[in-house]
Amino acid sequence: MENISFEDVFEGKLAKNEMIEPKDWMPENYRKHLIRQISQHAHSEIIGMLPEGNWITRAPSLRAKVVLLAKVQDEGGHGLYLYTAAETLGVSRDELLNNLHTGKAKYSSIFNYPTLTWADIGAVGWLVDGAAIMNQVMLQRSSYGPYSRAMVRICKEESFHQRQGYEIMTHLAFGTKDQKEMAQDALNRWWYPTMMMFGPPDSESPNSENAMKWRIKRETNDQLRQRFVDQTVKQVEYLGLIVPDENLKWNEAKNGYDFTEPNWVEFKNIISGNGPCNKERLAARNKAHDDGKWVREAAQAFAKKRSEIYAAA
């Protein structure tokens, strides 16, 4: 009888588009890649609450406040789903959070930009969450089961977030002259940072090859970035705004737009911790974690006491 190795079984599942589950054998590099990717995704959801949470008390109407509250709450839930998925790979949540709080772990570069006006909240919902959806829809077919399943609900909620952002931009773009200028200013400042969200060019991405090989991702950074531009330009035109790219031009041969690449030097600088809000974001996150210490201790004490009661019954 032919000997079949664990690696053969793993590769066979990938070839048949079957899910890899927590109790299945997996290469150590696959596990490490997933921990890095899923934890960075979780960190991005948690840090992503900060620039929007800053506007909850300043939302221009009660409805806008309630909608923004719901969105920020969703993002906290997304972080929870993703940390839970990462834990199935044998890493503790305490370790993941410590890596975030000490700056060892990365999160999406987009959250190191400031939200200066209410239009920025619209741009974040429309552009940033729109890019997130584009990146995350394919993750619903990720080869790792817990990650794939977590993404199903996350993508549905991100769709609501994008609609919320586009609604804000619509109100501004079709409002007064000053409101339209505010919308255009937000678009100008968020366009290129959003394009960076898909990661560096494929030729410079150290992780894309393995992510594609292991079917963790199904499309490359450059493919996703191209699709984002092609879809978003039409939305910009509907709003009567202008894409801040003088080189933007439809290319009939590739059935897509030619566009200016983001500033990759700026991107590398930000993920190295030197962006406009890097230090502010980590300081706020560490403070929130420290302030919540008593809640965690109380929950642990309650759980311990309950276990003792059940054990004695």
Side-chain angles (χ1 to χ4, degrees), residues 258-272:
D258 292 329
F259 56 88
T260 303
E261 287 285 322
N263 184 338
W264 294 116
V265 173
E266 176 183 330
F267 172 76
K268 291 176 182 177
N269 193 45
I270 290 174
I271 62 174
S272 297

Side-chain angles (χ1 to χ4, degrees), residues 114-176:
T115 45
L116 304 178
T117 70
W118 178 246
D120 286 31
I121 301 302
V124 168
W126 167 37
L127 299 175
V128 175
D129 290 319
I133 292 169
M134 198 158 289
N135 194 35
Q136 292 170 6
V137 163
M138 68 170 178
L139 294 176
Q140 294 178 107
R141 297 181 291 118
S142 173
S143 61
Y144 188 59
Y147 194 24
S148 171
R149 291 187 287 273
M151 293 314 305
V152 173
R153 178 167 179 173
I154 290 175
C155 285
K156 289 179 180 178
E157 292 177 347
E158 290 289 1
S159 296
F160 152 69
H161 299 170
Q162 185 187 31
R163 290 196 297 273
Q164 173 253 6
Y166 198 64
E167 179 186 65
I168 292 173
M169 295 299 281
T170 301
H171 289 163
L172 295 173
F174 295 115
T176 67

Side-chain angles (χ1 to χ4, degrees), residues 239-252:
L239 294 174
L241 302 178
I242 300 171
V243 176
D245 183 356
E246 295 180 354
N247 298 318
L248 185 74
K249 183 180 180 182
W250 181 258
N251 184 327
E252 196 68 42

Side-chain angles (χ1 to χ4, degrees), residues 16-84:
K16 292 184 287 187
N17 279 320
E18 294 180 358
M19 295 288 182
I20 306 300
E21 299 296 345
K23 292 184 178 181
D24 292 340
W25 182 91
M26 62 188 74
E28 183 61 17
N29 285 340
Y30 176 83
R31 188 183 75 86
K32 288 180 178 179
H33 183 107
L34 282 168
I35 290 173
R36 180 196 59 79
Q37 181 171 328
I38 297 173
S39 65
Q40 286 185 7
H41 193 164
H43 300 331
S44 298
E45 296 286 355
I46 299 301
I47 296 292
M49 299 166 72
L50 297 174
E52 294 177 310
N54 184 44
W55 275 90
I56 289 174
T57 58
R58 296 181 287 164
S61 69
L62 179 59
R63 178 182 181 274
K65 186 189 300 287
V66 170
V67 172
L68 186 56
L69 273 167
K71 180 184 178 185
V72 172
Q73 177 179 274
D74 282 350
E75 289 164 348
H78 297 173
L80 176 63
Y81 308 151
L82 293 164
Y83 283 131
T84 302

Side-chain angles (χ1 to χ4, degrees), residues 1-5 8-9:
M1 183 177 178
E2 183 181 357
N3 290 326
I4 300 177
S5 68
D8 290 337
V9 174

